[in-house]
Amino acid sequence: MAQTTDFHSETRLVLVDVVASDESDQPILGLKPDDFKVLEDGKPQQIRFFDPHTAATQEKATQVPRELPPHVYTNVPEEDPAVVRTIVLFDTLNTPTSDQAYARREMVKFLKVLPKGQSIALFTLGRQLRMVHGFTGKADELLAAAEKIFPEHSPLVTTDTERQTNLDELVKIENASAVSQGPPAIATASASAFASSAAQSAATVTGYTDRLRQFMAENEASYDDMRIRLTVDALSVLAHGVSGYPGRKNLLWLSAAFPFSLGPNPDLPDQTRSMRNYDSVLRSTAAELA
């Protein structure tokens, strides 16, 4: 019986967004595929699709708003299905309160210069995902919604100030221990006995502060774990929520940082106990957002 060999091959379409502007920061219009070169590992790649988006085409794609009777609503989108939609996600879960005010100002500034015809939705991420405004091309409605977003304290974020305060307390404990190890109260005590006692006392304090450092690192890692779980769950819900809209979506995620560590902490006695592995979770979420 003759053996058959199965050969499987797949090709992925890689999307590359390009913003072309001149020296005056003005958009360059009328570009064609021949005006671009795409290289991978130094080798030129063929551009199979080319879809320019300009303010003019976006404005033409916007339909005339529907006039509806009072208390009558519709979920029919006002924009053309070909419009590229953008999701603005304001993240208070992973952002310290002190940084949220700046992020909010920049978000409002972005919405004020929004070109006509852009389809934008506004979400916030705290302990749960919340939609502030659905997709719309009306900048005034988005601005009004954004103005109602206020800083929100995240109990799961350990700020640099808090972290430094904890470390300063540990240093105070170690310094106080070093000062207390002065000359012996009884002059007849032998030098060797005093040295042995001092060494034991220093080792006790060092072990105590090391355990405190380890505890604080593991406690912070536990908070990070909760934030990561909440974040990826929210992104998954967001991906499913907008999946009914055809075409591509852009995600503008306003966040101070994503709580993810790539390696052990060399400053801890046990460098690996505060590590977590999120490979499978991140891959799954990335696939849903693609």
Side-chain angles (χ1 to χ4, degrees):
M1 181 176 180
Q3 293 183 347
T4 60
T5 302
D6 295 331
F7 175 77
H8 298 277
S9 177
E10 64 179 18
T11 301
R12 296 182 179 271
L13 179 64
V14 179
L15 300 175
V16 180
D17 287 322
V18 177
V19 178
S21 57
D22 58 22
E23 57 185 10
S24 301
D25 204 24
Q26 295 299 314
I28 301 176
L29 305 178
L31 295 174
K32 298 178 177 58
D34 295 339
D35 297 320
F36 295 88
K37 290 183 179 180
V38 179
L39 303 178
E40 181 178 2
D41 297 331
K43 299 178 181 179
Q45 303 295 313
Q46 182 181 358
I47 301 177
R48 297 186 177 274
F49 301 97
F50 185 78
D51 188 14
H53 296 274
T54 65
T57 57
Q58 296 281 3
E59 188 172 355
K60 290 179 182 179
T62 303
Q63 301 176 0
V64 178
R66 296 174 177 83
E67 296 294 337
L68 299 175
H71 310 296
V72 176
Y73 305 93
T74 177
N75 61 353
V76 177
E78 296 179 354
E79 296 83 8
D80 187 273
V83 172
V84 176
R85 291 174 170 81
T86 300
I87 303 162
V88 178
L89 180 61
F90 188 82
D91 186 354
T92 61
L93 176 65
N94 301 297
T95 305
T97 309
S98 57
D99 295 332
Q100 292 180 28
Y102 171 76
R104 180 179 178 274
R105 287 196 303 269
E106 293 300 311
M107 177 180 64
V108 171
K109 187 187 301 183
F110 165 76
L111 294 175
K112 284 183 178 179
V113 297
L114 191 66
K116 292 183 179 180
Q118 298 288 326
S119 184
I120 306 290
L122 185 58
F123 287 78
T124 59
L125 173 59
R127 295 301 296 265
Q128 61 183 2
L129 182 69
R130 184 170 70 93
M131 186 179 74
V132 181
H133 201 292
F135 285 108
T136 182
K138 300 176 182 177
D140 55 341
E141 293 184 3
L142 290 169
L143 277 172
E147 294 287 356
K148 297 178 182 179
I149 298 177
F150 297 100
E152 179 181 338
H153 174 68
S154 176
L156 302 179
V157 171
T158 303
T159 65
D160 291 338
T161 302
E162 294 170 340
R163 193 177 295 109
Q164 187 60 49
T165 300
N166 293 334
L167 291 177
D168 290 343
E169 290 298 325
L170 290 178
V171 172
K172 288 180 181 179
I173 294 174
E174 293 173 341
N175 291 340
S177 174
V179 171
S180 65
Q181 297 170 16
I186 304 176
T188 57
S190 64
S192 60
F194 169 69
S196 175
S197 175
Q200 291 177 359
S201 176
T204 300
V205 174
T206 300
Y208 171 71
T209 54
D210 283 347
R211 288 193 296 272
L212 279 179
R213 283 192 176 91
Q214 189 73 48
F215 169 77
M216 289 189 297
E218 292 177 12
N219 190 55
E220 187 173 341
S222 177
Y223 284 165
D224 289 347
D225 181 72
M226 295 175 64
R227 285 195 290 138
I228 289 177
R229 300 293 177 182
L230 289 170
T231 299
V232 295
D233 287 347
L235 292 177
S236 178
V237 170
L238 180 61
H240 285 289
V242 300
S243 61
Y245 291 91
R248 295 183 55 212
K249 296 94 180 175
N250 298 318
L251 175 62
L252 299 182
W253 184 2
L254 305 179
S255 178
F258 187 76
F260 183 69
S261 176
L262 296 178
N265 188 342
D267 298 326
L268 300 178
D270 189 339
Q271 301 181 8
T272 60
R273 281 179 59 181
S274 61
M275 291 181 61
R276 305 288 191 274
N277 190 329
Y278 303 100
D279 288 351
S280 61
V281 177
L282 294 176
R283 287 196 187 97
S284 176
T285 306
E288 292 176 336
L289 290 172

